[in-house]
Amino acid sequence: MSNPVNYGLWYDFRNPAQWHQPFDSFYPERLAQISDAENLGFDSCWLTEHHFCEDGYTPSPLVLSSAILARTQQMRVGTNLMLLPLHDPVRIAEDVATLSLISGGRFDLGVGIGYRQLEFDHFQRKLSHRPSLVEEGIEILRRSWTGKPVNFSGKRFEVGDLAVTPAPVQVPKIYLGGMVEPAIQRAARVADGFLSTGGIGMDVYNEALLQNGKSIQDGDIIMGCWAIIAEDPEAEADKIGDHVLYHINEYIKWGAFGPPDQTPLFENAAAAIEGGLYELWDADTAVSRLNEMMETYPNIRDIHFWAQFPGEPAESGSQRMRYIAEKVLPRLRK
């Protein structure tokens, strides 16, 4: 392929009560796993963000990014995704510029508009303001990283004749996520690429690039792949089924896939895997399906997989990681 694709892992650092591990061992264990992943050949690590979750879903992906960047040499680190409307974009610009500088430009910022009322209430933002908050936030980020005065005046933010320093030497990419058409079209219009959840919306995104007078190669697709990849994927699904069920049902409860009162929970693991975003692949299937996707969408730049499902023992996730590294990645890179 003319443009190499990175293959990575996706972490949410959830630690549910029914499988709880002390956080002061939980974090070091997973940071060590990420360091091992780089040695196995994974190219990227992606972190996501939520707040006030009983299971400790990470509220601080930029702090974790700094820890990961300090433990790795080549691996790219990014967010898939941060909830930009909840933040002061100037502070995000400062932190991300710092991450870029300390890592030799190995950090990229993925953002989204969010959907949980609880989070917006606490951070004193209105859900109805999400489109303008995210678009103005992205514009402020871009201006902040030029090293020149920002001078921005919008509906939601005012930033005066102030330069944000230090400016990054390698300007981070800004990726925007979403699952509905207006959000995907916004990514084509204002961002450097699109964060696709489970492969959703890649065709809409590429069409929107063309509609905005861009070429397909002008926008990156960063694909979070929900496939469970193992030598015996059905047996693997049976083993981790309770963790997978928890994973999808918590997102449903929060409204990730539509209004919670209109989106029923899955009753059991088998139903979650069959009706959710999960697919069961062995190495041959993974190589075939992923190559097909990359041929169909030549602007895919990164494909990453859930490293751990919530509460799953680290060694269980590490076994899948090693299987992917040994049986899948070498064949994709031929």
Side-chain angles (χ1 to χ4, degrees):
M1 291 184 183
S2 57
N3 290 292
V5 176
N6 285 337
Y7 301 98
L9 300 169
W10 200 356
Y11 283 85
D12 53 21
F13 289 87
R14 301 169 87 172
N15 189 9
Q18 59 266 50
W19 302 292
H20 187 77
Q21 177 183 349
F23 270 104
D24 58 355
S25 62
F26 175 88
Y27 274 112
E29 185 177 73
R30 276 143 187 81
L31 290 172
Q33 185 186 60
I34 294 167
S35 181
D36 290 342
E38 181 181 48
N39 295 329
L40 287 170
F42 286 93
D43 307 298
S44 63
C45 180
W46 296 85
L47 309 174
T48 184
E49 174 192 19
H50 274 297
H51 298 269
F52 319 117
C53 303
E54 292 183 5
D55 60 17
Y57 195 127
T58 183
S60 302
L62 297 183
V63 175
L64 283 171
S65 294
S66 184
I68 294 165
L69 289 164
R71 286 166 169 78
T72 55
Q73 285 73 49
Q74 304 293 329
M75 180 178 274
R76 295 199 68 81
V77 178
T79 51
N80 184 6
L81 45 69
M82 286 195 72
L83 307 171
L84 186 58
L86 303 183
H87 295 277
D88 178 338
V90 171
R91 285 293 295 120
I92 295 295
E94 291 174 328
D95 285 344
V96 170
T98 302
L99 285 173
S100 182
L101 289 165
I102 65 175
S103 67
R106 289 191 286 129
F107 184 83
D108 295 304
L109 179 67
V111 300
I113 64 173
Y115 52 84
R116 289 180 75 212
Q117 186 70 55
L118 171 68
E119 294 170 330
F120 279 76
D121 288 346
H122 178 80
F123 290 106
Q124 300 181 358
R125 300 281 200 260
K126 291 184 178 181
L127 278 171
S128 60
H129 292 171
R130 291 178 300 168
S132 53
L133 285 167
V134 80
E135 292 200 29
E136 291 187 14
I138 288 173
E139 178 62 22
I140 290 168
L141 289 169
R142 293 198 189 283
R143 295 189 186 197
S144 296
W145 292 333
T146 65
K148 300 175 182 178
V150 175
N151 287 320
F152 178 85
S153 178
K155 289 183 180 179
R156 311 299 168 208
F157 298 107
E158 296 278 342
V159 184
D161 193 33
L162 299 170
V164 177
T165 58
V169 174
Q170 300 178 53
V171 177
K173 293 285 188 75
I174 300 175
Y175 297 128
L176 183 57
M179 287 189 280
V180 298
E181 190 162 336
I184 299 168
Q185 290 176 338
R186 182 180 299 116
R189 182 165 48 83
V190 305
D192 298 310
F194 169 52
L195 300 168
S196 171
T197 299
I200 293 172
M202 295 191 293
D203 51 347
V204 175
Y205 176 69
N206 281 355
E207 290 169 10
L209 285 173
L210 299 176
Q211 290 167 3
N212 280 275
K214 301 178 181 180
S215 77
I216 298 301
Q217 296 300 329
D218 288 331
D220 298 344
I221 292 178
I222 308 299
M223 194 186 86
C225 181
W226 287 41
I228 298 168
I229 304 174
E231 185 172 6
D232 186 339
E234 288 76 17
E236 185 75 7
D238 288 342
K239 183 177 77 171
I240 63 172
D242 289 344
H243 304 279
V244 173
L245 180 65
Y246 177 93
H247 183 244
I248 192 72
N249 275 348
E250 287 299 298
Y251 279 122
I252 292 172
K253 290 176 187 176
W254 295 345
F257 300 101
D261 58 350
Q262 300 173 29
T263 310
L265 299 176
F266 291 104
E267 294 183 2
N268 52 55
I273 291 169
E274 182 178 353
L277 293 175
Y278 312 99
E279 295 189 56
L280 303 180
W281 296 346
D282 62 11
D284 289 345
T285 305
V287 171
S288 174
R289 292 292 300 278
L290 293 173
N291 274 329
E292 181 183 352
M293 287 182 194
M294 290 184 284
E295 289 173 8
T296 305
Y297 305 102
N299 51 336
I300 289 177
R301 297 288 174 263
D302 187 285
I303 299 171
H304 49 280
F305 314 94
W306 287 113
Q308 308 276 161
F309 291 98
E312 180 187 7
E315 181 53 31
S316 176
S318 293
Q319 288 173 0
R320 281 197 310 280
M321 179 193 306
R322 287 191 289 271
Y323 180 78
I324 294 170
E326 294 171 4
K327 304 296 184 182
V328 178
L329 299 191
R331 295 166 63 186
L332 290 172
R333 290 176 170 138
K334 283 184 178 178

